[in-house]
């Protein structure tokens, strides 16, 4: 039988396999019992395949737990990328082994230092890493302790100002530290092996020889006791200098005296000790003064921060109360002014007082602006047109000494901003620039498109990347010092003299830009001018082309009835006087509850004029809604010195809301009321015309309006009514279901977020059970994202908030087309 046939025999093959298994088991047992930690892990996914007992016990993990882990899971100081980079030389074949120190982390969170020997082994075509680990924690600790002691000793001996010498039992020099070399002028190499006395202590200052037997320093060794005193040493350059010394016997571990340790100090320093003490005291005093100054600065910052927080909290209340007072004073002054003849000398006093009211109102407005609490009325705006429109005003304001250049880029985007407030910002920045140029220089106003990328947004706080319209104002003035660059937007900070500014100008600008969703950046260099860049978010909405005609005449009423609702008696009385003086009939109520009772009495009311912040169970928005429900054609005008969040959200007035901020003048009140009454008169006339047309053809289409926000519901109902639709309002899902059960509707107009359920569930119910009803979904997000289940997405029309009458018309037209 040949060898190949022999191997094929069953008995021999089994013996060979058994032998291999025994060898493998013995090898495995050796690895398992090895003192070193042994790890095998895959070169493909780096998961552990074998970890010996010593490693498992040290780590505190079982083998089953380790199989679910990868190599870097136990190495807290090595990330995945760092570990992969570390083993690349093995994987590429550039090295056969790696040795490195790292840290392992046990299951309980404790850590230990290890020395790792790592190899890449290829067996049966499979690549695995073999790691032999040695716990070197104690060795590291010992080395660290030894290094620490050695370092400390070396630091003490090398860095101490005390000169240290060592002599052996032959009184020969065996050591000098750096201070000793500096003191004597000799290097250790020059004194080593020589009697120290013969080198630095051999002569008296008078030139006499100084024998070693007379030297107290050298007696410490033979007499075996410590000696102290003062002597005079000889410098290498031949000069003499006084020293104080301490000589101590140096003993070995057996207690035998083997040499002398000498500590020497230069007494010349002690002669200057008094001066040194004075200098130290002065230095200490200076440091204390600096520390106290820093403490005062930090305390001032803390006080400023606390003051700003307090101002922010109190701004609303202050604005409300202060504006009420200004309203009373201003209204009465305007009424008094009418009673005085043009040539009356007393008019000057009244005019001055009215100017003071105006300045007070401006101050309150600035407080609200930097607190980001002013009510804004943002509109799509072309900044190029706005800046060009301000050209004449800027030239008159800045004076002939300032050259103004305006650069408007082509293809300018629109932005969404309150144009009146932005004009104030531009004027404020231009005036600051004029002052920085001392009324002589060049002002450049640039408007263009800009994109702020992610990298820029990450480098600036509270900046959202995207498309913006950029407004840059550059002056050739004195610039801003670097140390105050970070303070220029702080409220009440000003570089002007006391009494020349409130310090609210730039903080108002900053607050307005941030409230508008924008970004402001300042660039400046002393003696080279300043550039302020303002970024306002781009909007896709078109600029409003229709402008209100400018008039200098004060509109007068024709006996229309106005219900004034104001809890402050003085403010209410002045408002009544102004309105009656303007030709209106006036009803009054001190709170919303009383006002609602008047509305429900059936008396004719053309306009509700109500304060926003009032006591009582009913809030002003609810009063407005109830009034509109009772009197659909009534106008509503809110007034307040501080709107809180009743009709202003995210810094912007709710759609369809008219607000007259306190304090207001007689002219502003007259114009605003005339505008609202005229608008409602036009709408009523248009509605009457459409109603007449519908009476000749068919009944108006019925719309179920489902919206829980009272002001949005009121404004939308007005627009739908103006467009000739019959509107029924519901503020929740349950109310909508009741209406659907009781009446027939052609269109359901619904929000998605309702207080008692999902608007989309209501849409699914209507599209499945009442397919004859068209559906409009109005939401701040795309309603199609919320459509689920079997809802047919073609069965409803999407209308994104905020919407206007034009977009509402388009949605209604789509509904009517789908129902045709």
């Amino acid at each position: 039988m040949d060898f190949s046939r022999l191997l094929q025999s069953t008995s021999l093959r089994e013996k060979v396999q058994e032998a291999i298994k025994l060898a493998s088991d013995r090898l495995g047992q050796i690895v398992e019992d090895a003192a070193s930690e042994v790890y095998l892990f895959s070169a493909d996914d780096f998961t552990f395949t074998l970890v010996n007992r010593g490693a498992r016990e040290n780590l505190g993990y079982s083998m089953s737990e380790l199989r679910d882990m990868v190599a870097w899971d136990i190495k807290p100081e090595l990330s995945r990328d760092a570990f992969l980079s570390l083993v690349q030389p093995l994987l590429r074949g550039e090295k056969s082994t790696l040795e490195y120190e790292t840290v392992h982390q046990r299951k309980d969170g404790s850590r230990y230092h290890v020395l790792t020997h790592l190899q890449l082994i290829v067996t049966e075509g499979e690549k695995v890493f073999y790691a032999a680990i040695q716990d070197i924690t104690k060795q590291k600790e010992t080395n660290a302790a030894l290094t620490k002691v050695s370092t400390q000793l070396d630091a003490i001996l090398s860095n101490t100002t005390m000169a240290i010498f060592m002599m052996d039992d032959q009184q020969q020099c065996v050591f000098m530290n750096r201070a000793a070399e500096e003191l004597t002028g000799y290097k250790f190499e020059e004194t080593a092996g020589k009697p120290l006395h013969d080198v630095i202590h051999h002569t008296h200052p008078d030139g006499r020889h100084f024998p070693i037997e007379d030297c107290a320093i050298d007696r410490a060794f033979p007499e075996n006791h410590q000696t102290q005193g003062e002597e005079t040493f000889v410098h290498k350059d031949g000069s003499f200098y006084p020293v104080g010394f301490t000589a101590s016997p140096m003993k070995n571990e057996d207690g035998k005296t083997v040499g002398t340790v000498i500590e020497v100090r230069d007494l010349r320093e002690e002669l200057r000790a008094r001066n040194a003490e004075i200098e130290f005291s002065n230095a200490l005093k200076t440091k204390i003064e600096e520390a106290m100054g820093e403490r005062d600065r930090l305390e001032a910052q803390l006080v400023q921060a606390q003051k700003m927080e307090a101002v922010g909290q109190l701004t609303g209340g202050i604005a409300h109360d202060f504006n009420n007072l200004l309203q009373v004073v201003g209204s009465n002054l305007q009424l008094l002014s009418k009673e005085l003849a043009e040539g009356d000398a007393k008019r000057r006093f009244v005019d001055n007082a009215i100017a003071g009211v105006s300045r007070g109102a401006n101050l309150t407005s600035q407080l609200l602006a930097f607190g980001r609490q002013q009510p804004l009325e943002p509109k799509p705006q072309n900044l190029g047109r706005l800046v060009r429109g301000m050209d004449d005003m800027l030239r008159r304001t800045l004076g002939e000494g300032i050259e103004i250049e305006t650069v408007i880029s082509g293809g300018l985007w629109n932005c969404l901003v309150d144009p009146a407030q932005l004009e104030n910002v531009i004027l404020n920045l231009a005036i600051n620039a004029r002052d920085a140029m001392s009324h002589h220089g060049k002002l450049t106003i640039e408007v263009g498109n800009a994109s702020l990328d992610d990298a820029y947004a990450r480098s600036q706080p509270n900046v959202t990347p995207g498309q913006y319209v950029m407004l840059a104002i550059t002056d050739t003035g004195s610039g801003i010092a670097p140390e105050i660059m970070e303070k220029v937007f702080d409220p009440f900070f000003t570089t002007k003299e006391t009494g020349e500014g409130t310090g609210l100008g730039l903080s108002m600008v900053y607050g307005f830009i941030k409230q508008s969703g924008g970004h402001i950046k300042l660039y400046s260099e002393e003696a080279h001018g300043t550039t302020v860049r303002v970024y306002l978010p781009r909007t896709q909405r078109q600029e409003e082309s229709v402008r209100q005609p400018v008039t200098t005449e004060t509109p007068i009423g024709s006996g229309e009835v106005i219900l004034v609702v104001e809890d402050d008696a003085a403010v209410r009385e002045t408002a009544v006087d102004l309105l009656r003086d303007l030709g209106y009939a006036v009803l009054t109520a001190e709170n919303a509850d009383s006002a609602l009772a008047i509305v429900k009495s059936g008396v004719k009311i053309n306009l509700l004029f109500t304060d926003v912040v009032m006591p009582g169970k009913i809030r002003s928005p609810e009063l407005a809604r109830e009034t509109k429900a009772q009197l659909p054609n009534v106008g509503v005008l809110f007034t307040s010195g501080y709107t809180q969040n009743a009709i202003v959200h995210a810094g912007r007035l709710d759609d369809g809301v008219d607000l007259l901020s306190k304090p207001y003048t007689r002219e502003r009140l007259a114009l605003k009321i005339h505008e609202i009454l005229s608008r409602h008169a036009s709408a009523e006339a248009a509605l009457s015309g459409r109603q007449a047309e519908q009476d000749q053809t068919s009944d108006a289409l019925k719309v179920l309006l489902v919206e829980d926000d009272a002001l949005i519901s009121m404004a939308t109902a007005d627009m739908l009514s103006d467009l000739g639709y019959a509107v029924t309002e519901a503020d929740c899902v349950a109310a909508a279901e009741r209406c659907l059960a009781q009446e027939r509707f052609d269109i359901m107009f619904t929000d998605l977020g309702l207080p008692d359920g999902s608007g989309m569930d209501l849409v699914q119910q209507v599209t499945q059970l009442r397919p004859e009803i068209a559906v409009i979904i109005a939401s701040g997000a795309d309603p199609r994202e919320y459509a689920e289940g079997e809802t047919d997405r073609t069965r409803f029309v999407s209308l994104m908030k905020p919407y206007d009458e034009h977009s509402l018309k388009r949605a209604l037209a789509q509904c009517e087309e789908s129902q045709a």
Side-chain angles (χ1 to χ4, degrees), residues 337-352:
S337 178
K338 290 187 60 183
E339 302 298 323
L340 299 176
E342 286 295 331
D344 196 325
K346 297 177 183 177
R347 287 187 65 89
R348 177 168 60 89
F349 304 119
V350 175
D351 291 342
N352 288 340

Side-chain angles (χ1 to χ4, degrees), residues 110-185:
S110 61
R111 299 182 179 186
Y112 60 100
H113 293 272
V114 298
L115 175 63
T116 302
H117 299 272
L118 186 64
Q119 290 179 264
L120 181 63
I121 301 174
V122 181
T123 174
E124 297 182 358
E126 180 182 358
K127 293 182 178 181
V128 296
F129 284 105
Y130 171 82
I133 306 295
Q134 180 183 355
D135 188 341
I136 59 171
T137 303
K138 291 183 178 179
Q139 178 183 337
K140 294 277 288 187
E141 291 174 351
T142 301
N143 289 341
L146 181 59
T147 301
K148 182 178 179 181
V149 171
S150 300
T151 301
Q152 289 175 340
L153 181 59
D154 182 66
I156 292 171
L157 292 177
S158 298
N159 297 311
T160 182
T161 58
M162 180 71 72
I164 306 294
F165 303 84
M166 290 184 186
M167 297 189 301
D168 62 12
D169 55 359
Q170 301 299 317
Q171 304 289 54
Q172 295 176 346
C173 183
V174 296
F175 175 80
M176 287 174 60
N177 70 347
R178 185 184 307 162
E181 292 179 336
E182 293 176 353
L183 177 68
T184 64

